[in-house]
Amino acid sequence: MTFEERTAILNQAPTEEPARQFFFIERMKEIIAEKEAEKGRALTACVNTFGCQMNAKDSEKLIGILKQIGYQEQTSEDADFVLYNTCTVREHANVRVYGRLGVLKKYKDENPDMIIALCGCMMQEEEVVAKIKQSYRHVDLIFGTHNIYKLAELLFHRFTEETMQVEIMEKAEQTVENLPAERKFKFKCGVNIMYGCNNFCSYCIVPYVRGRERSRLPEDVLAETKRLAEDGVKEVMLLGQNVNSYAYNFPELLQKVSEIPGIEHVRFMTSHPKDLSDALIETIKNNDKISRHIHLPLQSGSSRILKEMNRHYNKEDYLALAEKIRKEIPDASITTDIIVGFPGETEEDFLDTLDVVKKVCFDSAFTFIYSKRTGTRAASMPDQVPKRVSQERLDRLLKVVAETASTRTGRLVGTVQKALVEEENSKIDGYLTARLSGNSVVHFKGPKELIGCFVNVRLNEAKGFYYIGELEE
Ligand code: 5AD
Ligand code: SF4
């Protein structure tokens, strides 16, 4: 494309969103079609997602745009376009990305037209972008968390300028919804209800890379869910870093979403213990279309450490809340996130964490060794805990979590539960995997036509975090 042609196209582009992106999707369709004619084959794209549900949701949006402009999706990374949607919540995630970029270089040596792109949370960190610009010159495109909707426009620039493109926005200037999205599952889907986080837990980088809290209007969430239901979605998961601080009444939204025709089950993630309301507990209790699962990150059981973490609750508050949930909704599972080795954590603090785990008897827990994140308050705290000590605490914690989880899963053995069949079991031939309302999974024998259906399964055996069961007629 000549400089003049390119300028003419840029001048024609609408300034309004999402019209502007639909315009660039059309231009990219032409460019991809041309490339395909040149090569005599289809162009392929691979999106690799790191991190949480938010990133998984963003990747569905990214894949939607890529498919729209003509790429064929594939799972292996020897593709014409490879995109890493990165996470930076712990240092380990970053190290993995750098390692894999080395592998991608080899693919690019074989296919010089290959385009390598990076986006997501890690790219919102200045040092990361500087390092990639300097040491990973084979990367073609870098963007952040606030401009994923612009993928087609960014690709247009990459294809017509042939230089590394970097566009990171400090904060979300606007939220552009309703672009094409490719759902990983036909029958279930995440729905963003809010973006960002205002809590500034002292260890956490999320508020810096995802920006301030922005709640979507309830009518927009409901309209999107209605469209999804009409398209065959039976289960939605309402997504936010802290759904309890949703600006327009979360329990009411949950209730209304569950009333949309076609929606059979509603999940939500994540709840901050500091502001989980009685109204929410009441709504879940009275509505069996809402999942029997509350993910309630504890982080630490020590009141002193919780204060240092800026969590706004103490050990007793958490225990009281968990007890209230167990009493009001006895069939709900409670899962959690726990960090060990936060700066200054003593053996005594850690014993408080074990104590809470035993008392609440979590159904399951994600456990992490504290990871120092540049720019957070905890990074400059004294008494960083040695790796050896954290590792030993993590091992002890994992044992206790396994015990509480098996106590909890054990109680459902012998009962029949409703579950949504998600996929074929990857390990046992002829078996399917379905998810219960409480979020644990059951494996059982059945025909793959049941994928996407709610079925009744008898839970025969508990295996720690999952069940083996059989289909009930
Ligand atoms: N180190 C270890 N774990 C962390 N998390 C967030 N930040 C850190 C960190 N710096 C964990 C928290 C959070 C989960 C998503 O990741 O437990 O709930
Ligand atoms: Fe991070 Fe705390 Fe916000 Fe969760 S609530 S994203 S842990 S700052």
Side-chain angles (χ1 to χ4, degrees):
M1 187 178 296
T2 64
F3 178 75
E4 287 71 26
E5 282 170 333
R6 184 172 172 274
T7 314
I9 291 179
L10 290 175
N11 286 340
Q12 273 169 25
T15 48
E16 292 285 293
E17 297 291 5
R20 185 175 174 85
Q21 294 317 309
F22 284 110
F23 173 87
F24 281 110
I25 286 173
E26 290 309 312
R27 300 293 80 72
M28 277 309 301
K29 270 188 195 167
E30 294 158 8
I31 293 177
I32 297 292
E34 245 172 60
K35 293 268 170 211
E36 286 188 343
E38 253 172 50
K39 288 189 184 288
R41 62 169 178 84
L43 291 194
T44 54
C46 166
V47 176
N48 207 332
T49 311
F50 299 79
C52 67
Q53 305 276 354
M54 296 282 175
N55 267 15
K57 175 73 194 178
D58 283 350
S59 286
E60 292 192 350
K61 297 178 183 174
L62 292 160
I63 294 168
I65 296 172
L66 290 171
K67 285 192 128 173
Q68 190 84 21
I69 65 183
Y71 279 109
Q72 283 190 2
E73 193 191 355
Q74 68 174 45
T75 47
S76 62
E77 293 185 348
D78 53 346
D80 296 295
F81 178 75
V82 174
L83 171 62
Y84 284 171
N85 188 3
T86 62
C87 169
T88 187
V89 79
R90 286 169 290 278
E91 177 67 22
H92 177 66
N94 296 35
V95 175
R96 266 177 68 200
V97 167
Y98 290 126
R100 294 175 80 126
L101 279 178
V103 178
L104 286 189
K105 173 93 172 55
K106 297 205 183 77
Y107 288 130
K108 193 161 180 164
D109 290 341
E110 281 163 29
N111 175 11
D113 286 341
M114 175 180 184
I115 291 186
I116 299 174
L118 299 172
C119 71
C121 296
M122 196 176 149
M123 300 306 127
Q124 294 291 136
E125 292 181 273
E126 268 173 36
E127 326 69 84
V128 169
V129 174
K131 179 167 171 171
I132 292 167
K133 277 184 180 164
Q134 196 182 7
S135 312
Y136 297 85
R137 300 291 312 163
H138 58 294
V139 171
D140 298 283
L141 172 61
I142 300 177
F143 54 106
T145 54
H146 301 305
N147 48 353
I148 62 159
Y149 68 90
K150 286 178 78 177
L151 178 59
E153 180 173 350
L154 295 166
L155 269 177
F156 177 81
H157 284 287
R158 175 61 189 79
F159 271 95
T160 57
E161 284 165 66
E162 307 263 326
T163 54
M164 189 197 270
Q165 301 289 318
V166 180
E167 187 186 279
I168 310 291
M169 291 176 175
E170 274 298 305
K171 57 181 194 202
E173 283 163 7
Q174 54 182 338
T175 312
V176 178
E177 310 277 355
N178 302 333
L179 284 166
E182 177 74 20
R183 293 201 308 276
K184 190 167 170 209
F185 296 94
K186 288 248 30 109
F187 51 87
K188 68 167 192 172
C189 186
V191 176
N192 296 112
I193 65 163
M194 55 197 301
Y195 303 96
C197 182
N198 284 355
N199 291 310
F200 289 96
C201 301
S202 62
Y203 51 82
C204 186
I205 201 165
V206 168
Y208 303 92
V209 296
R210 288 259 170 195
R212 292 295 67 69
E213 250 169 51
R214 292 148 340 258
S215 292
R216 285 179 75 194
L217 291 171
E219 51 267 37
D220 291 346
V221 174
L222 292 169
E224 180 179 338
T225 311
K226 194 157 167 283
R227 274 197 306 276
L228 290 168
E230 283 161 4
D231 197 32
V233 167
K234 295 177 181 165
E235 178 183 272
V236 288
M237 183 185 282
L238 304 184
L239 296 172
Q241 296 296 349
N242 174 13
V243 293
N244 301 317
S245 59
Y246 179 66
Y248 311 98
N249 193 335
F250 179 62
E252 202 175 290
L253 180 73
L254 200 52
Q255 179 66 29
K256 284 193 177 148
V257 166
S258 78
E259 288 165 5
I260 291 174
I263 295 297
E264 294 185 45
H265 199 229
V266 189
R267 299 183 181 278
F268 58 96
M269 183 91 113
T270 287
S271 290
H272 194 305
K274 78 177 159 65
D275 45 19
L276 190 140
S277 66
D278 289 349
L280 177 60
I281 295 177
E282 205 54 26
T283 304
I284 302 171
K285 181 178 170 177
N286 297 323
N287 184 341
D288 61 10
K289 284 172 121 186
I290 302 175
S291 75
R292 264 46 202 150
H293 174 215
I294 300 179
H295 186 66
L296 197 63
L298 167 68
Q299 312 301 4
S300 168
S302 151
S303 296
R304 193 181 68 81
I305 294 289
L306 286 168
K307 195 159 194 314
E308 293 293 310
M309 287 178 160
N310 194 31
R311 292 288 290 176
H312 299 282
Y313 56 86
N314 62 26
K315 179 181 178 183
E316 286 67 36
D317 298 332
Y318 190 97
L319 285 172
L321 177 59
E323 200 176 321
K324 186 161 37 173
I325 295 169
R326 292 273 191 241
K327 179 162 166 275
E328 295 297 323
I329 328 168
D331 57 343
S333 62
I334 305 179
T335 60
T336 202
D337 294 343
I338 298 168
I339 298 174
V340 297
F342 182 83
E345 185 189 72
T346 62
E347 174 65 17
E348 205 186 341
D349 293 319
F350 175 66
L351 290 176
D352 270 330
T353 299
L354 288 185
D355 188 42
V356 176
V357 173
K358 285 180 191 152
K359 288 197 168 117
V360 175
C361 200
F362 289 111
D363 293 77
S364 160
F366 294 107
T367 51
F368 310 106
I369 289 181
Y370 166 74
S371 169
K372 186 172 171 173
R373 307 312 290 127
T374 313
T376 61
R377 208 155 56 72
S380 53
M381 286 181 183
D383 304 324
Q384 301 276 331
V385 176
K387 178 82 205 299
R388 180 182 46 78
V389 176
S390 301
Q391 185 62 53
E392 189 256 348
R393 285 181 191 161
L394 184 73
D395 295 343
R396 283 156 70 199
L397 175 62
L398 282 170
K399 275 207 190 102
V400 179
V401 169
E403 281 163 24
T404 65
S406 74
T407 312
R408 290 286 299 170
T409 45
R411 94 209 131 98
L412 286 183
V413 170
T415 65
V416 175
Q417 299 288 331
K418 192 173 162 185
L420 176 57
V421 185
E422 293 193 336
E423 57 199 357
E424 284 182 275
N425 188 295
S426 56
K427 298 207 181 82
I428 323 172
D429 232 18
Y431 269 61
L432 301 171
T433 298
R435 193 171 295 274
L436 310 183
S437 184
N439 205 40
S440 47
V441 292
V442 52
H443 308 296
F444 62 97
K445 206 168 171 175
K448 62 176 189 292
E449 289 68 36
L450 288 179
I451 293 173
C453 301
F454 282 93
V455 294
N456 288 321
V457 194
R458 182 175 296 278
L459 307 178
N460 291 333
E461 222 183 314
K463 299 260 189 187
F465 296 97
Y466 65 92
Y467 297 93
I468 301 292
E470 65 187 297
L471 200 57
E472 280 275 310
E473 293 311 322

